């Protein structure tokens, strides 16, 4: 059993980043539509956003605790409306581990713990920054609580016949495969299209007119040139897709460790997901 | 036949918490009404229709407050729970009475919540989450809440889940 503890202070940084991510589109839009001028109100607005976000992050950090017990995890949060969340280890559906590259040197990870309860969109518990040992601790408690008879039943059944090596990697994706998938991934086109629409909506009119003029001169230069640009755009979008998929699926691994299935992926942000076999 | 009541009740202090909540809520609604009325009068927009509207609003708020205060004892009497080794039962409602049984092995996790009003009375709200629903007990003594929570968790540990 551990005492009641706060998350690692690096969590404040995470809260800040998450807050900015939410505000970023609005900030950019307001910045552009103001015509890129230094104005007093704009600065005040920006300052206000930064201040309130930092305050939020700090408050969240100082009012959230976690505590591990033999049979459950308890999370404490809330300033006025105090909330305690009790999750018994058996009822954990999945544990997702998200590790940013800058967490690694500190041996810190983010843990998302889910049960089968309602509101599946959000994890029941978001332990924003805890030591890796906490993850191992939870895993070991959880393995103790795994129902033993599931193991026996499946041991003689169909599952055992599948080519799972125990405690070993059983499926990985090579870089070539990610590359191929990236080339054929057309979801990026949709993103670019949306981005263009966004530009048309929010950019100042003069810019667009200038772009229109440039396009006209280009068309006059010859169709070959236009074709060249089109091909360049396609290649660019492919490159974006490849890079995106590398970030997302780098070193993708599925493995089985005893009664737990582990899925790992990601380059800068490493995602590790652990699912007990009995919950699938 | 007499309606079967479950064994356990909240501590009587919950009535005080309910009363405070009702009073505070009504106060806020009255303030909103007063501010709206004041602003409208200040800008000389208080036509007879608006005046009547605001008067009706105030009456409604006061009526709802009196009603909710009046039913607190009944609400208290019929807000009950019971825990056995197999299920957890919740009971509520005076005009429309419901009793819900939640099998222990379907419980996913338990949360407790405590706002300023409940904290003043040293009470805690307990919410029991299953895969489909959330069931709440309006307020238990902090000590009792911790015990009940532990009891549920212990039972969950023993009960085999099949979801």
């Amino acid at each position: 059993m551990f005492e009641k503890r706060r998350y690692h202070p690096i969590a404040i940084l995470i809260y800040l980043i998450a807050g900015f991510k939410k505000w970023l589109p609005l900030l950019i839009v307001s910045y552009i539509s103001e015509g890129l001028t230094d104005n007093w109100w704009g600065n005040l607005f920006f300052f206000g956003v930064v201040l309130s976000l930092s305050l939020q992050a700090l408050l969240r950090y100082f009012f959230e605790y976690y505590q591990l017990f033999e049979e459950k995890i308890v999370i404490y949060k809330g300033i006025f409306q105090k909330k305690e969340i009790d999750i018994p280890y058996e009822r954990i559906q999945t544990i997702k581990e998200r590790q940013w590259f800058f967490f690694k040197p500190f041996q810190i990870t983010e843990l998302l713990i889910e049960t089968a309860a309602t509101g599946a969109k959000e994890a029941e518990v978001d332990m924003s920054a805890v030591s890796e040992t906490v993850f191992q601790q939870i895993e070991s408690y959880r393995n103790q609580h795994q129902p033993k008879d599931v193991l026996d039943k499946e041991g003689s059944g169909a599952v055992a016949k599948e080519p799972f090596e125990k405690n070993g990697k059983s499926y990985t994706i090579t870089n070539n495969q990610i590359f191929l998938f990236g080339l054929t991934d057309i979801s990026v086109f949709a993103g670019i299209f949306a981005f263009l629409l966004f530009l048309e909506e929010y950019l100042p009119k003069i810019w667009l007119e200038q772009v229109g003029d440039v396009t006209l001169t280009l068309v006059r230069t010859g169709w070959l040139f236009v074709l060249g640009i089109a091909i360049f755009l396609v290649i660019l979008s492919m490159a974006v897709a490849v890079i995106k998929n590398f970030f997302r699926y780098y070193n993708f691994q599925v493995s089985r460790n005893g009664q737990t299935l582990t899925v790992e992926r990601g380059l800068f942000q490493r995602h590790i997901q652990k699912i007990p076999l009995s919950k699938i | 036949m007499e309606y079967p009541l479950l064994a356990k009740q909240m501590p009587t202090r919950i009535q005080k918490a309910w009363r405070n909540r009702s009073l505070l809520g009504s106060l806020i609604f009255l303030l909103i009404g007063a501010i709206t009325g004041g602003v409208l009068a200040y800008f000389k927009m208080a036509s007879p229709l608006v005046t009547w509207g605001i008067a009706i609003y105030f009456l409604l708020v006061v009526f709802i407050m009196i009603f909710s205060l009046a039913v607190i004892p009944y609400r208290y009497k019929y807000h009950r729970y019971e825990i056995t080794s197999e299920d957890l039962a919740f009971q509520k409602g005076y005009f429309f009475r419901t009793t819900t049984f939640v099998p222990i092995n379907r419980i996913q996790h338990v949360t407790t919540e405590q706002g300023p009003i409940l904290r003043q009375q040293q009470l805690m709200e307990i919410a029991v989450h299953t895969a489909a629903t959330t069931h709440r007990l309006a307020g238990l003594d902090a000590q009792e809440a911790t015990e009940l929570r532990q009891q549920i968790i212990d039972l969950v540990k023993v009960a085999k889940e099949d979801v």
Side-chain angles (χ1 to χ4, degrees):
Chain A
M1 198 174 113
F2 291 89
E3 72 279 23
K4 205 166 149 182
R5 269 192 291 188
R6 287 205 184 96
Y7 303 134
H8 192 272
I10 210 171
I12 301 175
L13 191 69
I14 295 302
Y15 299 148
L16 267 178
I17 291 174
F20 268 111
K21 238 179 171 174
K22 254 185 240 162
W23 277 86
L24 199 65
L26 193 69
L27 284 179
I28 289 176
V29 166
S30 60
Y31 197 61
I32 289 174
S33 64
E34 285 295 319
L36 303 173
T37 48
D38 269 66
N39 80 27
W40 196 73
W41 279 109
N43 285 339
L44 194 72
F45 174 70
F46 184 74
F47 184 69
V49 168
V50 170
L51 195 74
S52 70
L53 281 180
S54 339
L55 203 68
Q56 240 175 38
L58 282 176
L59 282 180
R60 189 167 164 204
Y61 170 71
F62 280 108
F63 285 91
E64 246 182 83
Y65 302 86
Y66 70 95
Q67 191 171 15
L68 299 185
F69 289 89
E70 287 280 325
E71 71 286 344
K72 64 180 183 180
I73 307 172
V74 185
I75 309 289
Y76 305 84
K77 57 180 168 186
I79 301 167
F80 296 113
Q81 182 80 15
K82 298 273 183 210
K83 200 171 174 183
E84 290 173 27
I85 307 171
D86 282 38
I87 301 187
Y89 293 117
E90 284 92 349
R91 292 299 193 259
I92 293 177
Q93 184 76 19
T94 54
I95 299 186
K96 287 182 191 162
E97 184 187 0
R98 281 200 304 216
Q99 189 174 38
W100 282 97
F101 61 95
F102 54 81
F103 274 24
K104 246 191 177 145
F106 304 102
Q107 294 181 326
I108 298 291
T109 61
E110 178 179 6
L111 294 183
L112 298 164
I113 297 173
E114 289 176 3
T115 70
T118 25
K121 254 190 240 159
E122 230 175 87
E124 265 76 34
V125 169
D126 181 351
M127 297 167 90
S128 315
V130 289
S131 153
E132 278 172 353
T133 51
V134 171
F135 185 33
Q136 285 152 14
Q137 192 72 46
I138 292 175
E139 274 298 296
S140 73
Y141 277 137
R142 199 161 67 126
N143 284 330
Q144 265 174 41
H145 289 293
Q146 286 281 315
K148 287 285 178 291
D149 54 341
V150 175
L151 207 146
D152 296 341
K153 248 191 279 166
E154 286 179 357
S156 57
V159 181
K161 283 172 198 152
E162 280 176 35
F164 275 119
E165 305 160 35
K166 276 215 164 167
N167 306 327
K169 283 167 208 163
S170 51
Y171 181 68
T172 50
I173 289 185
T174 61
N175 289 348
N176 274 338
Q177 282 171 311
I178 302 176
F179 186 69
L180 263 181
F181 178 67
L183 284 186
T184 51
D185 183 11
I186 51 169
S187 67
V188 171
F189 280 110
I192 288 177
F193 192 65
F195 182 65
L196 287 179
L197 277 181
F198 166 80
L199 283 187
E200 202 183 351
E201 278 291 315
Y202 290 104
L203 280 186
K205 279 264 159 56
I206 313 158
W207 289 18
L208 283 182
E209 277 160 23
Q210 275 173 3
V211 171
D213 291 343
V214 173
T215 321
L216 271 180
T217 36
L218 282 185
V219 172
R220 276 188 216 114
T221 347
W223 62 270
L224 211 63
F225 194 75
V226 176
L227 192 70
I229 285 188
I231 290 173
F232 171 73
L233 279 180
V234 169
I235 290 174
L236 188 76
S237 73
M238 277 178 170
V240 169
V242 168
I243 290 169
K244 189 188 96 180
N245 285 308
F246 257 102
F247 284 170
R248 193 179 278 178
Y249 294 117
Y250 180 73
N251 201 2
F252 183 94
Q253 285 180 5
V254 182
S255 57
R256 181 178 164 186
N257 199 331
Q259 284 299 301
T260 328
L261 195 68
T262 311
V263 183
E264 298 181 40
R265 64 183 177 82
L267 182 59
F268 286 126
Q269 199 187 25
R270 195 99 181 112
H271 288 251
I272 300 175
Q273 193 167 0
K274 297 211 175 216
I275 312 167
L277 285 183
S278 56
K279 300 278 181 183
I280 296 178
Chain B
M1 192 189 91
E2 191 70 15
Y3 188 71
L5 290 174
L6 296 176
K8 289 198 169 169
Q9 267 183 308
M10 318 282 126
T12 41
R13 299 196 311 276
I14 188 70
Q15 297 185 74
K16 234 183 241 171
W18 282 338
R19 204 174 307 144
N20 289 346
R21 183 176 298 165
S22 165
L23 289 175
L24 194 70
S26 311
L27 192 72
I28 288 169
F29 276 109
L30 287 179
L31 267 179
I32 291 173
I35 289 170
T36 317
V39 168
L40 287 177
Y42 183 78
F43 289 108
K44 306 226 159 41
M45 281 156 67
S47 66
L49 194 71
V50 171
T51 318
W52 271 108
I54 286 177
I56 289 173
Y57 172 82
F58 275 118
L59 272 179
L60 212 65
V61 170
V62 172
F63 176 74
I64 290 174
M65 182 182 82
I66 291 171
F67 181 77
S68 68
L69 287 178
V71 296
I72 282 176
Y74 299 101
R75 198 173 154 198
Y76 174 71
K77 196 181 169 197
Y78 288 91
H79 199 99
R80 286 158 180 271
Y81 72 98
E82 201 172 291
I83 184 166
T84 71
S85 60
E86 265 142 40
D87 53 33
L88 190 58
F90 299 90
Q91 197 163 54
K92 63 178 180 185
Y94 172 64
F95 297 110
F96 299 94
R97 299 168 186 180
T98 58
T99 310
T100 317
F101 293 88
V102 180
I104 296 281
N105 63 349
R106 295 298 161 92
I107 293 174
Q108 293 295 334
H109 64 273
V110 184
T111 59
T112 61
E113 278 171 53
Q114 189 186 49
I117 293 178
L118 285 182
R119 181 151 54 249
Q120 196 197 358
Q121 304 295 334
Q122 284 118 43
L123 293 170
M124 271 179 166
E125 181 176 343
I126 283 201
V128 173
H129 300 260
T130 71
T133 49
T134 301
H135 306 275
R136 287 170 188 282
L137 280 174
L140 288 180
D141 190 69
Q143 177 71 27
E144 212 182 335
T146 322
E147 276 169 26
L148 177 67
R149 203 170 63 166
Q150 194 54 43
Q151 207 178 342
I152 294 173
I153 298 282
D154 287 343
L155 283 172
V156 164
K157 211 168 73 184
V158 177
K160 226 175 69 62
E161 179 201 33
D162 53 0
V163 186

